Amino acid sequence: MSKKILFVMTGADHWTLADGTRHPTGFWAEEAAAPYEAFKAAGHTVTVATPGGVVPTVDTASLAPDVNGGEEGARKVVEVLADAEELKSPIALEDVRLDDYDAVFYPGGHGPMEDLAVNADSGRLLVRALKSGKPLGVVCHGPAALLAAVEEDGGNAFKGYRVAAFTNDEETQAGLAAKAAWLLETRLVEAGVDVRVGEPWAPNVVVDRNLVTGQNPASAAPLAAELLRRLAA
């Protein structure tokens, strides 16, 4: 049976660094393309939502052959994104009704560090999705959005949950840790989230109740496979 999957994506096209400069970014291609392709191949429908309904920007660095396993991989990810009509006509995140969807997925890229990390609409959606029991997938820098998922008592809704997210080591190896205003792993730990760190750049998917999280771009495809298993159950 076809299911409805909500992709919540960044609307940012930059990430503000510690010195105030803007690092061009957006969403990471593989983290949207691999799950999108898997969900569509399984017969499910995808709806994209962004803050304000803006068309999401792909991080051009994520289209390079060296991060896609070569020229063929780069061409494939470009083709998947080009054919994904849902990316070209997102709905406004503010208008999302969780009841309309069977699962929620947050891809990463540095964009979520800029907007979803402080977006109250996204935060409220995450709290509701977590409590609903519906499959909730979040990958790489997507867990920045968890920082905005605040309960009425001021605590984080994901406190105590086991989560995989882009690590400080990976940010350092990528060359941006020293320039960042804050680091994702550090902030999540400060919020009480139990970050489970795997090997840099290797797939690492962590499941805790209805929450399925992935550490990095390589984790996007196995995370999508886990969400598909849950939707089929």
Side-chain angles (χ1 to χ4, degrees):
M1 178 181 289
S2 178
K3 304 285 187 175
K4 296 179 179 179
I5 303 171
L6 177 71
F7 272 44
V8 180
M9 300 182 66
T10 180
D13 62 3
H14 68 276
W15 177 32
T16 305
L17 302 178
D19 64 0
T21 59
R22 292 185 168 194
H23 174 72
T25 187
F27 70 89
W28 196 260
E30 180 181 2
E31 295 167 25
Y36 176 87
E37 191 174 32
F39 297 150
K40 296 290 279 191
H44 302 315
T45 62
V46 170
T47 298
V48 174
T50 63
V54 302
V55 175
T57 298
V58 64
D59 189 325
T60 55
S62 69
L63 302 176
D66 62 347
V67 295
N68 287 291
E71 294 285 352
E72 183 177 346
R75 281 195 299 272
K76 181 180 178 181
V77 78
V78 168
E79 289 172 1
V80 171
L81 295 179
D83 291 340
E85 292 299 322
E86 298 89 342
L87 287 171
K88 303 167 189 175
S89 55
I91 65 173
L93 178 57
E94 308 86 79
D95 297 334
V96 166
R97 283 173 35 87
L98 180 62
D99 290 347
D100 294 339
Y101 303 97
D102 300 294
V104 179
F105 172 66
Y106 278 67
H110 281 105
M113 302 278 281
E114 184 72 22
D115 60 354
L116 297 181
V118 294
N119 186 288
D121 293 304
S122 173
R124 285 189 288 269
L125 175 66
L126 282 166
V127 173
R128 294 197 302 271
L130 189 66
K131 293 181 177 179
S132 74
K134 296 179 180 184
L136 171 60
V138 194
V139 69
C140 201
H141 287 91
L146 308 188
L147 298 171
V150 180
E151 300 272 23
E152 290 184 4
D153 63 3
N156 192 282
F158 293 86
K159 181 177 180 180
Y161 274 77
R162 297 184 299 277
V163 169
F166 201 71
T167 66
N168 291 354
D169 281 348
E170 286 167 321
E171 202 72 83
T172 299
Q173 292 178 27
L176 286 168
K179 303 175 183 178
W182 53 276
L183 296 175
L184 178 57
E185 180 188 338
T186 299
R187 280 284 178 88
L188 288 171
V189 170
E190 290 172 352
V193 178
D194 182 5
V195 179
R196 298 299 177 96
V197 176
E199 289 296 318
W201 313 110
N204 177 33
V205 175
V206 174
V207 177
D208 191 343
R209 289 155 275 188
N210 61 314
L211 177 65
V212 184
T213 51
Q215 180 173 314
N216 44 38
S219 306
L223 185 154
E226 176 61 27
L227 289 182
L228 285 172
R229 282 191 289 272
R230 288 167 174 261
L231 285 169

